[in-house]
Amino acid sequence: MNNIATLKSAVTGSGSGNSSPPPSPPPLNGCPNGQLDCLELSDPEEDEHRLQYAYVLWFSQRQSGKQNNVQPYDQNLKLIGGFNTVEKFWAVYGHLIRPSEMALHSDFHLFKYGIKPMWEDEANKDGGKWIVRLKKGLASRCWEDLLLAILGEQFMVGEEICGAVVSIRFQEDIISVWNKTANDQHTTIRIRDTLKRVLNLPPNTIMEYKTHNNSLRDKSSFRNTDVFLH
Amino acid sequence: TSTSMPMPRYSLAEFRYGREEMLALMPKDIKMPNCLRHFPLLIRENFQIPLALTPVTEEEQRLWSSRSVNSDLAFRASGKTGP
């Protein structure tokens, strides 16, 4: 089960007698060498519940005290694990620390298999993200609610969702949801409204949107956003 | 019967699970996936019950019922001074 062939067949659904999506085999370029084989994406057991997509969980942490010698972002990205069923998700999620227990400047990234959590990725390059900056103490519950909604396909925007990130920062924690097409307003609005519902955000919550193009331009994840107040 | 905006047609997902279903499908015996063993600082040996099944703490309740769930930095970004 620990090989790419199995992984591929797990992701495409071939070999399982199950004629279900994901539609095409995702590219394997998203995974650093030597880490792909630790994904446990074997074909779902008979009693398991398949997810619409396979997902990969990543972790990153900014190295402290090396401002002049910043490692390339993708070298800080560590692939933690992957899953393609509800049961396998719980096995991964339930054995990880909560976001609130993570060190400052660390992030969990949950992305569809084949999409790297980077602005430059083919699936992200025309996309953007919704951002909710939260007071400390709220991120863990929000992150869990968000994961359940994404994996359960509650956003109802077809294939538009790329992934989600929780970022632990100084004086705030940030939840982001990335989508494919930043200029598709129907989709971005639906994602915003669903996000509000699934996280139970109060009506006055500030939400921000930023295109990855703008992030590439100003090299920042959370500055210069479009702010939405209600 | 008028529709103001044409809604895009999204393909409906075949595998959908509501929040309660996701929670109900949590297996009874869960082993830690081997891949997690590479990250000793990120893992918990014993399975942690989802927060959805644990009561909200007093602190969380206080934060949720405060004037805003946003951080002060969110207000700074929005150009407002405070909630």
Side-chain angles (χ1 to χ4, degrees):
Chain A
M1 111 177 186
N2 283 333
N3 64 53
I4 291 174
T6 320
L7 178 60
K8 266 178 138 170
S9 85
V11 169
T12 58
S14 64
S16 65
N18 192 342
S19 63
S20 47
S24 59
L28 293 169
N29 59 6
C31 304
N33 289 338
Q35 295 193 343
L36 190 61
D37 59 354
C38 77
L39 283 185
E40 303 196 1
L41 289 175
S42 50
D43 286 340
E45 307 285 329
E46 288 224 342
D47 56 351
E48 285 189 308
H49 294 78
R50 202 189 164 93
L51 297 168
Q52 185 75 29
Y53 296 91
Y55 291 85
V56 173
L57 195 67
W58 308 74
F59 171 77
S60 64
Q61 183 172 11
R62 198 182 78 190
Q63 303 301 309
S64 57
K66 287 185 188 167
Q67 294 293 348
N68 302 329
N69 185 20
V70 179
Q71 272 203 322
Y73 168 73
D74 60 343
Q75 303 231 329
N76 271 337
L77 268 180
K78 301 272 190 297
L79 191 158
I80 300 177
F83 43 82
N84 54 4
T85 67
V86 179
E87 288 81 359
K88 289 198 179 87
F89 156 69
W90 284 120
V92 171
Y93 174 80
H95 286 99
L96 285 173
I97 58 171
R98 313 280 190 207
S100 63
E101 300 170 283
M102 294 201 299
L104 268 188
H105 305 293
S106 29
D107 314 72
F108 277 136
H109 317 248
L110 173 97
F111 276 75
K112 284 176 179 164
Y113 179 79
I115 304 180
K116 221 175 167 186
M118 301 180 70
W119 305 324
E120 300 88 343
D121 190 279
E122 191 59 29
N124 296 324
K125 65 181 178 39
D126 299 319
K129 62 170 181 265
W130 279 105
I131 301 164
V132 188
R133 297 160 185 265
L134 296 164
K135 281 182 181 142
K136 287 281 178 191
L138 299 170
S140 294
R141 236 171 244 276
C142 286
W143 178 239
E144 182 179 289
D145 288 337
L146 179 58
L147 292 185
L148 298 185
I150 288 180
L151 301 180
E153 293 291 329
Q154 299 297 303
F155 277 86
M156 311 280 291
V157 286
E159 301 179 356
E160 268 286 328
I161 302 281
C162 296
V165 185
V166 58
S167 308
I168 304 305
R169 296 294 182 266
F170 183 59
Q171 294 182 333
E172 65 177 349
D173 298 329
I174 304 169
I175 297 267
S176 323
V177 178
W178 292 33
N179 76 299
K180 253 181 206 156
T181 323
N183 65 10
D184 175 353
Q185 238 192 1
H186 280 294
T187 295
T188 56
I189 296 290
R190 182 176 279 199
I191 294 172
R192 181 195 67 192
D193 293 346
T194 308
L195 188 57
K196 276 190 117 161
R197 272 201 307 278
V198 299
L199 301 192
N200 274 311
L201 297 175
N204 67 345
T205 304
I206 298 169
M207 301 179 75
E208 302 164 57
Y209 194 84
K210 184 165 187 181
T211 66
H212 301 318
N213 256 328
N214 284 338
S215 294
L216 276 165
R217 211 166 293 147
D218 65 14
K219 297 193 166 44
S220 110
S221 274
F222 304 121
R223 277 181 282 129
N224 307 318
T225 55
D226 290 323
V227 176
F228 291 76
L229 292 160
H230 296 273
Chain B
T1 65
S2 69
T3 53
S4 50
M5 268 193 300
M7 281 304 292
R9 265 167 298 170
Y10 299 106
S11 58
L12 199 62
E14 186 182 349
F15 299 96
R16 301 184 59 223
Y17 306 92
R19 177 189 161 87
E20 296 305 321
E21 285 173 286
M22 290 290 293
L23 291 167
L25 291 172
M26 191 171 44
K28 283 207 184 68
D29 292 309
I30 308 187
K31 281 206 202 80
M32 176 167 350
N34 285 328
C35 56
L36 297 193
R37 305 243 171 238
H38 299 278
F39 302 93
L41 296 177
L42 297 180
I43 57 175
R44 290 273 180 268
E45 199 62 41
N46 295 321
F47 179 80
Q48 302 195 95
I49 293 184
L51 289 167
L53 302 179
T54 62
V56 176
T57 64
E58 266 180 43
E59 171 66 1
E60 281 177 305
Q61 207 150 27
R62 189 184 66 74
L63 289 165
W64 276 111
S65 58
S66 64
R67 275 193 291 178
S68 169
V69 295
N70 287 123
S71 68
D72 291 344
L73 289 163
F75 286 98
R76 214 169 298 164
S78 75
K80 288 171 68 174
T81 48

